[in-house]
Amino acid sequence: YNLYQNLLFYGVKDGRNEDEDFQFIPLIIEKVIIPKLTNIIAHIYDPLSLKQTTNLVKTIENIFQTYPTMTDDSKNVQNLLKAIVDRLQRSLDDDIYIPLYPKEIIALGSSRTSSNNSAIMATEFFFRQYWTCVKLLGNITLWSQILSLKTILDLSIDGLLNRYILVSLKNMDLISNEMITRCLLLAKCFPIKQWFDNNKTILQNQLTDTTLPALENFCLFLKQLAQEYSTQIFSANDKDKKIYKENIRQIRVIFVHLHALDHALELTNEYEIK
């Protein structure tokens, strides 16, 4: 109450100095706006909403850029950052579930000629949950300018990619055309350039030709995928051969995006990609 009373009569206050005037707006942001945002994130924000995530991230980034005094030395800022992490973690715990169906069920349910309604319904649910994971992954990485890299990696890669998404991908048809599309969309969730640009001191050992250690499991899966495509080339017709070769090229594109230049070079040499 005293804060709001002071704000109400600030303009007629006697004995103000320039320092007080300079700190006036940042103080309001820290004491009023930041706690309000903290409450919104803790009780209203839905991490699965791209619109909500984008708006919140832009708002908080704008505050931090406009008012440099908003640092993690502030108790209110600490509470805000903690609320973000807690809300994202709660979404991981409460909103994410992918059933581990046998590959045969996924294949049967994905077949356009399948008449097995149970398999079709199970497969639809499986893919719906998979894309929910990918959506949350993309929303989590949008917080990369606000949260620490370690926190982002823990939530997005350890919490989603390695725990759920890669397991799900391995249960799908590896040589389908949809698989390479899924991998491309998944890779786009990771703002690799931003991570490297903002964390050069931390990532100095990765600034040569390797990706983040946390992404190596994804890279290994992509190498396995390239091997599957290569195996299919020998028995495929000319049309499918072109598709498989193009898919291998797309895997190289993903490696380059992930800053896994060592894997990209290895792929180029092994499969003689132009």
Side-chain angles (χ1 to χ4, degrees), residues 129-148:
Q129 295 303 107
Y130 168 81
W131 287 115
T132 297
C133 275
V134 175
K135 183 177 183 180
L136 181 58
L137 174 65
N139 287 349
I140 288 175
T141 58
L142 288 177
W143 292 98
S144 294
Q145 294 279 54
I146 296 170
L147 301 177
S148 70

Side-chain angles (χ1 to χ4, degrees), residues 65-77:
Q65 291 169 6
T66 306
Y67 306 102
T69 55
M70 298 296 136
T71 67
D72 53 12
D73 292 332
S74 164
K75 183 66 175 177
N76 286 337
V77 172

Side-chain angles (χ1 to χ4, degrees), residues 47-231:
L48 287 172
S49 168
L50 176 60
K51 183 177 180 180
Q52 290 184 28
T53 302
T54 301
N55 289 339
L56 273 171
V57 167
K58 286 182 178 179
T59 299
I60 296 172
E61 282 183 353
N62 184 55
I63 289 174
F64 286 174
Q65 291 169 6
T66 306
Y67 306 102
T69 55
M70 298 296 136
T71 67
D72 53 12
D73 292 332
S74 164
K75 183 66 175 177
N76 286 337
V77 172
Q78 291 175 15
N79 291 338
L80 173 67
L81 297 177
K82 184 178 184 302
I84 296 170
V85 175
D86 289 347
R87 184 64 189 92
L88 295 176
Q89 183 62 58
R90 194 162 79 247
S91 187
L92 283 175
D93 296 337
D94 298 344
D95 300 331
I96 298 303
Y97 168 72
I98 301 182
L100 293 178
Y101 296 137
K103 293 185 70 171
E104 294 77 15
I105 296 295
I106 304 299
L108 181 60
S110 301
S111 174
R112 295 180 180 179
T113 60
S114 176
S115 59
N116 189 318
N117 289 332
S118 296
I120 292 173
M121 291 177 63
T123 302
E124 288 176 348
F125 177 68
F126 171 84
F127 278 107
R128 188 161 58 248
Q129 295 303 107
Y130 168 81
W131 287 115
T132 297
C133 275
V134 175
K135 183 177 183 180
L136 181 58
L137 174 65
N139 287 349
I140 288 175
T141 58
L142 288 177
W143 292 98
S144 294
Q145 294 279 54
I146 296 170
L147 301 177
S148 70
L149 178 61
K150 182 182 184 306
T151 299
I152 292 294
L153 295 182
D154 287 345
L155 291 169
S156 64
I157 297 181
D158 293 340
L160 276 173
L161 179 67
N162 292 338
R163 184 174 299 177
Y164 295 104
I165 295 175
L166 287 181
V167 174
S168 300
L169 286 173
K170 292 174 183 177
N171 265 8
M172 301 177 194
D173 181 5
L174 295 182
I175 61 172
S176 68
N177 291 329
E178 291 82 2
M179 177 58 74
I180 195 66
T181 301
R182 295 181 193 117
C183 291
L184 284 165
L185 292 173
L186 183 58
K188 288 180 180 179
C189 292
F190 300 111
I192 300 296
K193 186 178 185 303
Q194 181 188 96
W195 287 352
F196 275 81
D197 289 345
N198 293 349
N199 300 275
K200 289 182 179 179
T201 302
I202 300 174
L203 302 177
Q204 57 183 345
N205 294 330
Q206 277 80 46
L207 291 178
T208 52
D209 59 357
T210 59
T211 189
L212 299 172
L215 286 169
E216 277 298 329
N217 284 339
F218 186 29
C219 291
L220 291 175
F221 172 77
L222 292 170
K223 291 176 70 174
Q224 177 189 353
L225 194 57
Q227 182 61 49
E228 289 287 339
Y229 289 135
S230 176
T231 301

